[in-house]
């Protein structure tokens, strides 16, 4: 605002302002160097101003909790005694190796991810290919496949728990019609995780289907036309035109599903409480229970730190693989 | 592409609206289902409700009061009692906050959060068996100075037992709870089985096994243990008396040792009895929500709320005392009130607790919830408890009720027992499962050693 008064003096007389409080238009720019500095500063300030909400939110809800969890992982923080926290070194971390529940939860989570990721990827791609055809009721199918995604996962889990019930559930009644005896979908340690996997794929695939669909529509039509001229079969077109065209999208989906699969929590929490016999307890669920139900925030934080390292490792491996494929 | 994205956006909005509406209805159903304490109310209000009454006279003391919500009728009863308290006391003003208790961790999460942030209310509702852990951590304070022996003697013994830790009284409750052996009168008549109408006649384990077998056929189970409530507090609440009745225990009397108690031969034997019930096929590990009410199970070991839902379903039902082996014991314990260390007015806080648990209040809350009252005299004032079938519940609460163990490690202990019970139900080797759980609880107990 310094420049205003000096520049006002140099204004021609015939220029009148209706509102005296309004600053006059700068006709003569201040010295170049000075202007550049202040403008750069102002631009930076504006930038930070716009960044501030995101930075503050990230700081309060991501960076601070992460830092706190890291700190607590070296303490014996018991939730009922927040004023009595003492430093216990690596004790929490060494207990992780003795904790049979952690080991079980880890392998459960790995099993879930290893099955869910490829299956969900394939189902999503299959649905997208179906819907991309000019079928009748295309919009209906698209809505039908996508609708589980917008439903609350909690609600979906409750509904599927009813459907899976051996005595009165819908699925077992249907199986009964074709002469198959009732299956203990959620109450048998052998079947529970698979039942959760089926539900999770059904719930999640619709979202990736939409992304694949967008990818399919971005593949230029002339490539298919050229393939037609070369006399390619449908299968060859899929293999040599569609798949290469979807590669980047598929890799993106692969990473997002993998991370989401590792964070499995809601389904076992609602449907099985981690049972039967711990067969559906996931890592995140084990961390949650330890911290909130058993109040052992210190140990839960240690497991959370290890969990973060695991997910980070997987992501880095995937990134490296992807970079190699691109190169 | 643009068209598609508009379409997606449109569908999203539509489905979100649809999802929201189905969300709330399913949730409220789940609320009343899992808490099970108010099967009659169809809609459960969610969210915090503030009650406040216009200021009357000098407001010397302000009390913040947290109550849990499992059903609408129950909450309305609490709010009426609090309003009456505010009118009666010129010098004390109570601000109540109603917090959803979904039967899982919603309510305790609220307490944990307030605890860490240091803004607990003056008085709060706590679940009976958790009193000792709060007491040990100094979250709540003893109230012996404000409660005389005469007042104490008016409560049923199990409520005082549940509220006592290290010989000091910490909590007072308005309601008790129990587990009864419900029966379908028509099915028992059909099978020619005589029900037990008093504690004297209570069935033994063998009688329960034998009769359950008789009542089981292709179309229905003999017994329902409400395994659909999940692996949680219910299994300890309902199942622990089997161990006690056999001379077993979950933990030592002073609450510091599980080795030799949770894995004692008596407790193992009780869990093996459970295993046998399931192995014989008289009970299922995944009953439907209304298995007993719909006549698909002839007997059911259920909470007081089953009486309400059986009545609503028009079932011809009755109740028997909890079956026994050697000693006659029965489940006990429910939500109670405790004064936190955050209060500046413990005397006024205890005044409020007494008000919320006096004879009038216990009658009112018993009527709203179907739970037995915590005041001895309330039983005499309520007609229904003096005749069958409710007289059996009264007898049980007054004579055989056994509080769950008082130990600061209760959250881990109850999970350890529930996991063992569930493993037994699934036919696992009880001894090895229990042994693993013992190690888990022993590790937790180390935290509380001096």
């Amino acid at each position: 605002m310094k420049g205003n008064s000096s520049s006002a003096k140099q204004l021609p007389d015939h220029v009148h302002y209706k509102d005296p409080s309004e600053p006059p238009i700068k006709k003569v720019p201040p010295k170049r160097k000075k202007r550049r500095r202040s403008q750069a500063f102002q631009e930076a300030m504006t930038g930070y101003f716009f960044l501030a909400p995101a930075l503050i939110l990230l700081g309060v809800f991501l960076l601070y909790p992460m830092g706190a969890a890291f700190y607590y992982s070296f303490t014996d923080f018991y939730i009922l005694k927040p004023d009595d926290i003492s430093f216990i070194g690596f004790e929490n971390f060494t207990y992780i190796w003795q904790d049979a529940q952690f080991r079980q939860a880890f392998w459960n989570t790995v099993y879930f991810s290893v099955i869910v990721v490829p299956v969900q990827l394939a189902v999503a791609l299959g649905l997208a290919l179906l819907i991309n055809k000019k079928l009748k009721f295309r919009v209906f199918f698209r809505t039908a496949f996508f609708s589980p995604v917008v439903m609350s996962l909690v609600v979906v889990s409750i509904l599927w728990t009813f459907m899976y019930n051996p005595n009165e559930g819908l699925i077992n009644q249907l199986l009964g019609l074709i002469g198959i005896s009732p299956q203990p979908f959620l109450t048998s340690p052998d079947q529970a995780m698979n039942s959760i996997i089926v539900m999770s794929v059904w719930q999640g695939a619709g979202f990736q289907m939409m992304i694949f669909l967008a990818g399919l529509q971005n593949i230029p039509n002339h490539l298919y036309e050229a393939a037609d001229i070369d006399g390619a079969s449908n299968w060859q077109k899929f293999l040599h035109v569609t798949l290469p065209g979807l590669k980047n999208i598929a890799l993106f989906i692969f990473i997002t599903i993998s991370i989401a699969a590792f964070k499995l929590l809601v389904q076992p929490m609602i449907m099985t409480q981690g049972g039967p016999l711990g067969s559906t307890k996931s890592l995140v669920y084990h961390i949650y229970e330890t911290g909130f139900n058993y109040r052992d925030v210190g140990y839960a934080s240690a497991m959370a730190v290890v969990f973060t390292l695991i997910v980070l490792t997987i992501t880095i491996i995937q990134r490296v693989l992807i970079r190699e494929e691109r190169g | 592409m643009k068209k598609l994205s508009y379409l997606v956006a449109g569908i999203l909005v539509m489905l979100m609206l649809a999802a929201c509406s189905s969300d709330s209805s399913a949730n409220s159903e789940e609320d009343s289902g899992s808490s099970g304490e108010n099967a009659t109310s169809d809609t459960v209000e969610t969210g915090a409700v503030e009650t406040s009454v216009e200021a009357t006279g000098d407001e010397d003391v302000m009390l913040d009061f947290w109550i849990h919500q499992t059903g609408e009728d129950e909450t309305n009863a609490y709010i009426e009692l609090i309003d009456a308290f505010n009118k009666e006391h010129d010098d004390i003003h109570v601000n109540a906050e109603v917090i959803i208790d979904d039967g899982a961790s919603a309510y305790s999460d609220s307490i944990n959060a307030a605890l860490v942030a240091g803004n607990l209310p003056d008085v709060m509702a706590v679940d009976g068996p958790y009193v000792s852990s709060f007491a040990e951590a100094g979250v709540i304070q003893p109230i012996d100075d404000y409660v005389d022996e005469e007042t104490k003697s008016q409560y049923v013994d199990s409520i005082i037992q549940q509220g006592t830790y290290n010989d000091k009284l910490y909590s007072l409750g308005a309601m008790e709870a129990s587990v009864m052996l419900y029966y379908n009168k028509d099915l028992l008549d059909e099978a020619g089985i005589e029900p037990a109408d008093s504690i004297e006649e209570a069935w033994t384990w063998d009688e329960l096994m034998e009769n359950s077998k008789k009542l089981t056929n292709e179309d229905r189970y003999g017994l329902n243990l409400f395994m659909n409530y999940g692996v949680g507090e219910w299994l300890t609440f309902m199942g622990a008396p089997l161990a006690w009745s056999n001379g077993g225990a979950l933990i030592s009397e002073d609450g510091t040792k599980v080795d030799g108690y949770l894995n004692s031969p008596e407790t193992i034997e009780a869990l093996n009895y459970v295993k046998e019930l399931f192995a014989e096929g008289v009970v299922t590990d995944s009953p439907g929500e209304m298995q007993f009410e719909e006549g698909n199970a002839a007997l059911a070991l259920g909470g007081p709320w089953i009486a309400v839902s059986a009545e609503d379903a028009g079932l011809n039902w009755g109740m028997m005392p909890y079956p026994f082996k050697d000693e006659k014991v029965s489940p006990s314990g429910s939500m109670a009130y405790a004064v936190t260390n955050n209060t500046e007015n413990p005397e006024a806080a205890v005044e409020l607790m007494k008000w919320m648990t006096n004879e009038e209040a216990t009658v009112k809350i018993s009527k709203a919830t179907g739970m037995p009252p915590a005041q001895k005299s309330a039983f005499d004032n309520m007609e229904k408890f003096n005749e069958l079938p409710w007289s059996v519940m009264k007898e049980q609460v007054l004579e055989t009720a056994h509080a769950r163990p008082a130990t600061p490690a209760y959250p881990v202990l109850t999970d350890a027992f529930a996991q063992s019970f569930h493993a037994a139900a699934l036919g696992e080797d009880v001894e090895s499962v229990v042994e693993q759980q013992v190690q888990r609880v022993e590790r937790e107990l180390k935290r509380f050693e001096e």
Side-chain angles (χ1 to χ4, degrees), chain B residues 113-323:
Chain B
L115 191 72
V116 176
N119 47 21
L120 279 173
D122 300 275
V123 185
M124 63 180 184
V126 290
D127 198 4
Y130 286 78
V131 166
S132 39
S133 62
F134 286 129
E136 203 278 339
V139 176
I140 55 178
Q141 51 178 299
I143 52 173
D144 300 271
D145 293 349
Y146 313 103
V147 183
D148 54 39
E149 282 304 314
E150 199 202 324
T151 315
K152 250 169 112 169
S153 67
Q154 291 165 356
Y155 293 86
V156 298
D157 300 342
S158 51
I159 285 298
I160 299 298
Q161 192 190 347
Q162 138 185 306
T164 306
Y165 178 68
N166 280 348
D167 300 324
K168 286 182 192 142
L169 183 67
Y170 285 88
S171 79
L172 293 172
M175 53 183 176
E176 244 299 3
S178 201
V179 171
M180 311 300 301
L181 181 59
Y182 292 88
Y183 63 95
N184 185 320
K185 276 187 182 163
D186 300 337
L187 297 178
L188 256 70
D189 281 348
E190 217 173 84
I193 296 169
E194 273 295 308
D197 285 337
S198 67
I199 295 208
E200 285 282 281
E201 304 167 30
W203 284 5
T204 61
W205 285 8
D206 291 339
E207 280 175 294
L208 178 67
M209 178 71 78
E210 200 182 306
N211 289 327
S212 300
K213 276 188 208 166
K214 270 190 214 163
L215 290 160
T216 302
N217 63 25
E218 288 173 353
D219 302 325
R220 61 158 193 264
Y221 288 96
L223 179 65
N224 179 2
L225 294 179
F226 297 96
M227 300 298 284
N228 53 312
Y229 293 170
V231 185
E233 190 57 36
W234 167 252
L235 294 183
T236 308
F237 181 62
M238 177 268 290
L242 292 171
W244 298 328
S245 179
N246 197 32
L250 272 53
I251 193 165
S252 62
E253 199 69 26
D254 60 359
T256 59
K257 204 168 162 50
V258 283
D259 197 10
Y261 298 89
L262 188 59
N263 53 358
S264 65
E266 292 83 6
T267 306
I268 302 268
E269 193 188 353
L271 289 170
N272 273 321
Y273 174 73
V274 172
K275 184 176 173 177
E276 202 186 331
L277 282 172
F278 282 88
E280 292 287 347
V282 301
V283 53
T284 169
D285 59 12
S286 43
E289 297 273 314
M290 302 285 277
Q291 193 193 40
F292 174 69
E293 290 88 334
E294 284 167 354
N296 295 325
L299 301 165
L301 268 180
W305 51 90
I306 297 302
V308 181
S309 58
E311 191 68 37
D312 286 348
L315 193 76
N316 191 8
W317 62 279
M319 51 185 160
M320 295 187 244
Y322 195 92

Side-chain angles (χ1 to χ4, degrees), chain A residues 131-170:
Chain A
I131 278 185
N132 200 32
K133 293 232 169 79
K134 299 226 172 336
L135 292 169
K136 264 188 184 175
F137 309 119
R138 191 163 91 126
V139 177
F140 168 77
F141 284 119
R142 193 156 61 194
T143 317
F145 294 146
F146 192 67
S147 57
V149 177
V150 285
M151 280 196 259
S152 149
L153 191 50
V154 175
V155 175
V156 172
S157 300
I158 293 170
L159 291 178
W160 277 72
T161 309
F162 291 149
M163 280 163 52
Y164 274 142
N165 186 292
N167 298 305
E168 288 152 28
L170 178 72

Side-chain angles (χ1 to χ4, degrees), chain A residues 78-81 95 101 142 147 150 155 165-168 187 217 273 276-277 288 292-296, chain B residues 4 7 12 15 23 105 109 112 115 130 133-134 136-137 230-231 286 288 411 415 426 428 440 443 447-448:
Chain A
Y78 186 68
I79 221 167
L80 294 189
K81 295 178 177 172
Y95 184 66
Q101 286 194 48
R142 193 156 61 194
S147 57
V150 285
V155 175
N165 186 292
N167 298 305
E168 288 152 28
T187 47
Q217 293 178 346
Q273 292 92 46
L277 306 177
Y288 167 81
F292 291 96
N293 293 2
Y294 312 138
R295 303 158 174 172
D296 195 346
Chain B
L4 180 77
L7 185 85
L12 262 167
L15 285 170
D23 199 39
S105 55
D109 283 353
N112 288 343
L115 191 72
Y130 286 78
S133 62
F134 286 129
E136 203 278 339
V231 185
S286 43
D415 186 64
L426 291 174
E428 294 291 310
R440 221 182 117 205
R443 175 179 183 266
R447 183 191 301 282
F448 307 105

